[in-house]
Amino acid sequence: MLDIIVRQARLPDGRGPLDIAIKEDRIVEIAPRIVAEAHQEIDATDRLVSPPFVDPHFHMDATLSLGLPRMNASGTLLEGIALWGELKPLLTPEAVIERALRYCDLAVSQGLLSIRSHVDVSTAPLVGVEALLEVRKQVSPYIDLQLVAFPQDGLFRAEKAEKNLLSALDMGVDIVGGIPHFERTMAEGARSVVRLAEIAADRSLKLDLHCDESDDPMSRHVETLAHETTRLGLGGQVTASHVTAMHSYDNYYASKLIPLIAESGMNVVPNPLINITLQGRSDTYPRRRGLTRVPELRAAGVNVAFGQDCTMDPWYSLGSADMLEVAHMGVHAVPMTSREAMDWAFTSVTQNGAVAMGLPDPTIREGGPANMVILQAQNPIEAVRMKATRLAVIKHGKVLVRTAPRLAALDLPNRPATLDPANYAPASPEPKT
Ligand code: FE2
């Protein structure tokens, strides 16, 4: 007796319709028609069944704190950091846990089941660390939550930040973080990259730096990070997050840099929602976009995964744990509008995020984990376009979420009242880009 059969699903690679059989926490068979009994059947006819969404860059210690103790009036990164500094002394573990758990509810409802969250370790006591370690434990049946020890105020700029970072790692935080562009000088920033890479290597931990989240074309810490990654042989254990300054680099320098990033094997995580709003704030017009060079990084073979970064916090007042919204913004902000690139945008918030986080292969396959999202869309592009309803979310073979589909409700003669409003195929298989 099977636990679940998902009937007539379409997969992100275009295969389908296929039945998917689930027994306990594994996918045991995928076939055009499975004749067997199951405790539960889910009709996925004309529905996309995908691996769950992955957010490789988030700040769960700050989430849902919007308005505490005041709003970010300028909308800049630097005021956000200052505002967070005002809020930090007021934080309690209980309040951080409560907000984080509320966010996790939202995340699960959106099929977002793997999250890498930075947690500020600049100042003691480590309230955020204590809180998110507890959250990680509580949500572990539902969400793979990785924590990054993040010295928000600078490893060397904030007194005792390195000591606090090491304490956080000792307490069980998974990953080494940093923010070289916020150190006092370029030289200090580069020195922080070297130090953090060595801490990661010594402890056999992953490294994920906020790197060059700036419009300054001379902010070039990703170069040092690529070099240290290669020197220490850290490869895919390393992630450069944001890397927005790359949009302002001289083209010649970028053409030298990108192969070094590819050679290092590191991941790059742009955050389109936040950076399209944070970057270019000091520009008049023309105003620069806030995204790194995604097509060029992809072409060089770098694993690029979009992250969300923030939801209702000192830096970003919107956000909804919706990685399709993130992919949608990425398509616009990069921009990348070919069918191939939009299809890739979906992959960037599923498989590529899993690669960046070092998670097991999440592909829907026989023998694979019974973790999936059933979307009200026929294919990945339609999912991105519609920010498709999550009809069902399954984790470890258990249905966590069921949502009714959005259906047309016009009551007109001779016309069904159950049309799927998402369902329009393009007139041409390859529209102009
Ligand atoms: Fe961030």
Side-chain angles (χ1 to χ4, degrees), residues 208-230:
D208 187 335
L209 302 188
H210 285 64
C211 206
D212 306 315
E213 187 181 9
S214 160
D215 295 329
D216 176 3
M218 298 312 294
S219 185
R220 296 181 170 186
H221 298 298
V222 70
E223 175 186 272
T224 307
L225 182 58
H227 176 62
E228 289 303 301
T229 301
T230 301

Side-chain angles (χ1 to χ4, degrees), residues 92-94 96-97 119-120 125-136 147 168 171 173:
T92 64
E94 295 76 20
V96 175
I97 289 169
V119 51
D120 190 354
L126 297 173
V127 173
V129 171
E130 185 187 331
L132 292 193
L133 286 170
E134 175 62 22
V135 169
R136 186 179 68 181
L147 300 177
M171 288 166 71
V173 170

Side-chain angles (χ1 to χ4, degrees), residues 120-124 126 149-170 176-178 183 188 191-200 202-203:
D120 190 354
V121 298
S122 311
T123 46
L126 297 173
F150 175 46
Q152 169 77 75
D153 299 333
L155 183 73
F156 299 134
R157 187 168 167 178
E159 198 182 352
K160 297 186 180 164
E162 180 173 336
K163 177 173 171 289
N164 293 334
L165 180 142
L166 295 172
S167 297
L169 298 176
D170 291 341
V176 179
E183 303 291 348
E188 288 282 272
R191 194 163 72 84
S192 80
V193 174
V194 174
R195 177 68 187 129
L196 292 164
E198 288 176 348
I199 292 171
D202 286 348
R203 294 184 175 230

Side-chain angles (χ1 to χ4, degrees), residues 124-307:
L126 297 173
V127 173
V129 171
E130 185 187 331
L132 292 193
L133 286 170
E134 175 62 22
V135 169
R136 186 179 68 181
K137 189 165 71 181
Q138 288 192 28
V139 303
S140 62
Y142 310 103
I143 295 175
D144 298 312
L145 177 59
Q146 294 181 347
L147 300 177
V148 185
F150 175 46
Q152 169 77 75
D153 299 333
L155 183 73
F156 299 134
R157 187 168 167 178
E159 198 182 352
K160 297 186 180 164
E162 180 173 336
K163 177 173 171 289
N164 293 334
L165 180 142
L166 295 172
S167 297
L169 298 176
D170 291 341
M171 288 166 71
V173 170
D174 312 275
I175 297 165
V176 179
I179 185 165
H181 56 276
F182 196 66
E183 303 291 348
R184 287 193 175 89
T185 65
M186 288 295 170
E188 288 282 272
R191 194 163 72 84
S192 80
V193 174
V194 174
R195 177 68 187 129
L196 292 164
E198 288 176 348
I199 292 171
D202 286 348
R203 294 184 175 230
S204 300
L205 296 176
K206 294 182 172 62
L207 177 68
D208 187 335
L209 302 188
H210 285 64
C211 206
D212 306 315
E213 187 181 9
S214 160
D215 295 329
D216 176 3
M218 298 312 294
S219 185
R220 296 181 170 186
H221 298 298
V222 70
E223 175 186 272
T224 307
L225 182 58
H227 176 62
E228 289 303 301
T229 301
T230 301
R231 181 177 73 86
L232 297 167
L234 301 177
Q237 302 294 99
V238 175
T239 295
S241 290
H242 296 287
V243 206
T244 53
M246 199 188 292
H247 67 55
S248 289
Y249 290 164
D250 172 81
N251 282 340
Y252 175 78
Y253 175 64
S255 74
K256 178 210 168 194
L257 173 68
I258 289 173
L260 295 176
I261 293 174
E263 173 191 66
S264 77
M266 70 162 76
N267 307 280
V268 171
V269 172
N271 298 283
L273 287 175
I274 183 87
N275 288 124
I276 199 69
T277 63
L278 284 184
Q279 307 313 128
R281 288 275 174 166
S282 57
D283 294 353
T284 52
Y285 295 95
R287 179 167 281 168
R288 285 169 288 178
R289 290 172 187 259
L291 267 287
T292 193
R293 301 190 184 207
V294 174
E296 292 81 1
L297 288 163
R298 282 189 63 208
V302 177
N303 180 55
V304 180
F306 286 138

Side-chain angles (χ1 to χ4, degrees), residues 57-59 118 150 210 213 242 271 309-310:
H57 190 108
F58 194 66
H59 293 260
H118 297 252
F150 175 46
H210 285 64
E213 187 181 9
H242 296 287
N271 298 283
D309 203 11
C310 300

Side-chain angles (χ1 to χ4, degrees), residues 89-102:
L90 310 176
L91 295 176
T92 64
E94 295 76 20
V96 175
I97 289 169
E98 173 59 22
R99 287 195 287 267
L101 290 177
R102 287 178 63 196

